[in-house]
Amino acid sequence: MAEVFLTKEAYKELEERLAYLKSDGRVDVAEKIRVARSFGDISENSEYDAAREEEALLEQEIVQIEENLRNAKIIKGKGDTSKVGVGCTVEVLDMEFNENLTLRIMGSIESDPTIGQISNESPTGRALIGAEKGDVVEVTTPAGSIKYKVLAISY
């Protein structure tokens, strides 16, 4: 698995979520399975099937979080402002619409395009990584090509 970029806060949240799932989460699911078994024949018991499915999803989430934490690279608070990198805020000019946008390049787990936090793995994030102030980058999207001019880079 590739590196997973996380802020210190997101790393801590994942650790807390993992601890919860391994303790309270597993206990809750085990109780649901126990109760469902008490209803009788498990071969035709939808409550039992649902509880076992919930257990499988919980274990899958535990494995995914452990993998993310194992491959985590913490985003530094400050970095080189000469090039766009993960964790930086970049101001760009959308050359088609003559509109300034402020984007923060984050790891995929923390990205939220609705608030301007884009993934380093997204088409826009990949195109911007390594760009310098003044560079024009072209982003290929399913809707077509977009050109951005990098105006400023900060952390």
Side-chain angles (χ1 to χ4, degrees):
M1 184 175 188
E3 288 181 321
V4 177
F5 292 96
L6 296 170
T7 59
K8 288 179 189 176
E9 297 80 17
Y11 189 91
K12 184 172 172 41
E13 286 174 16
L14 281 179
E15 284 182 320
E16 290 170 359
R17 176 74 178 155
L18 181 61
Y20 168 79
L21 292 174
K22 285 184 163 185
S23 58
D24 295 345
R26 282 181 171 158
V27 169
D28 292 345
V29 169
E31 178 63 18
K32 288 178 184 177
I33 291 171
R34 188 191 65 73
V35 169
R37 277 190 180 144
S38 71
F39 295 149
D41 184 12
I42 62 171
S43 65
E44 296 180 18
N45 185 330
S46 62
E47 288 87 0
Y48 179 79
D49 291 341
R52 293 296 296 196
E53 184 175 329
E54 185 177 342
E55 178 185 41
L57 291 172
L58 178 131
E59 294 302 326
Q60 182 179 1
E61 185 177 358
I62 287 171
V63 168
Q64 183 63 52
I65 291 173
E66 287 175 337
E67 183 79 10
N68 287 337
L69 290 173
R70 199 172 18 261
N71 294 301
K73 181 173 182 183
I74 303 299
I75 298 170
K76 304 285 187 233
K78 296 192 179 209
D80 178 10
T81 58
S82 68
K83 292 185 179 189
V84 175
V86 178
C88 79
T89 300
V90 59
E91 187 178 336
V92 297
L93 172 67
D94 181 326
M95 297 181 76
E96 181 180 351
F97 295 105
N98 197 33
E99 178 181 19
N100 285 8
L101 302 170
T102 301
L103 304 170
R104 185 160 184 220
I105 313 293
M106 303 297 289
S108 60
I109 292 176
E110 292 181 87
S111 67
D112 184 352
T114 62
I115 59 170
Q117 291 186 178
I118 63 169
S119 168
N120 64 308
E121 298 172 10
S122 70
T124 303
R126 281 195 311 266
L128 286 170
I129 296 287
E132 298 177 351
K133 185 177 176 180
D135 285 355
V136 175
V137 298
E138 189 168 347
V139 180
T140 304
T141 70
S145 185
I146 303 169
K147 288 186 180 178
Y148 293 117
K149 181 175 183 177
V150 177
L151 302 176
I153 303 166
S154 63
Y155 280 86

